[in-house]
Amino acid sequence: MTDVLTWTVQQRLELEERAELIRKELAGVESQLTRLDAAEVVFGQWAEATDCGRRSLGVVPPELEPVRVVAGSGAGGMWMVPGRAEGLGVEVLTSEYRRIMEIVADADGPVMAKDVARVLGRELTPGKVEPVRGQLRKLADRGWLTRTGAGRYLPR
């Protein structure tokens, strides 16, 4: 009977040690997941701010924001998506942004980034949809589209 009790206590101690190691490993994995979540947020912000690296992070005060941009420009710090102003048509946008505007305008209702990505012929992976989401957000931030609370976009 004593042997069974000793064996049981040993098993419990071994399992407690093993459980503690697993808890530590789980805490490490959760810490890595938290860091990756933060990195994804930072990357998304960077991608939106730099048009996925196609322009610098130079800050342009609102009073210096270019109003007219020749399609296809972007060099020299000019924004690829100018702020919408009276009398300014979509012809000032690059062909890709014009295409996005057409897709949103032709839709039956509010569209999501993945809907636009699908029409553009892109894969529906986060790496392909997120840049489209950034482009839609730029168009909304600069007055070309309206963004709903649910992250959907409508023509203005």
Side-chain angles (χ1 to χ4, degrees), residues 25-131:
E25 184 178 352
L26 178 61
V29 168
E30 287 176 340
S31 174
Q32 287 178 336
L33 283 172
T34 300
R35 285 194 306 267
L36 287 173
D37 286 343
E40 287 176 7
V41 168
V42 170
F43 176 77
Q45 292 169 341
W46 172 84
E48 183 176 333
T50 65
D51 197 16
C52 290
R54 290 190 283 262
R55 65 179 178 84
S56 72
L57 277 173
V59 177
V60 178
E63 64 272 6
L64 297 179
E65 178 183 331
V67 177
R68 296 201 58 89
V69 176
V70 177
S73 69
M78 294 181 73
W79 285 12
M80 304 268 301
V81 180
R84 187 170 182 214
E86 187 67 34
L88 198 61
V90 294
E91 65 277 352
V92 300
L93 300 173
T94 64
S95 60
E96 187 170 0
Y97 282 98
R98 281 194 307 269
R99 179 70 179 122
I100 291 171
M101 291 291 293
E102 289 172 11
I103 292 167
V104 174
D106 291 345
D108 293 333
V111 296
M112 296 182 353
K114 70 178 182 177
D115 301 326
V116 175
R118 181 181 299 117
V119 175
L120 289 172
R122 298 190 183 168
E123 297 175 30
L124 298 183
T125 61
K128 301 294 181 180
V129 174
E130 286 306 313

Side-chain angles (χ1 to χ4, degrees), residues 124-147:
L124 298 183
T125 61
K128 301 294 181 180
V129 174
E130 286 306 313
V132 173
R133 187 180 325 282
Q135 291 172 309
L136 286 164
R137 187 168 291 153
K138 271 186 199 151
L139 288 166
D141 290 346
R142 303 212 176 110
W144 294 95
L145 296 175
T146 300
R147 183 173 187 255

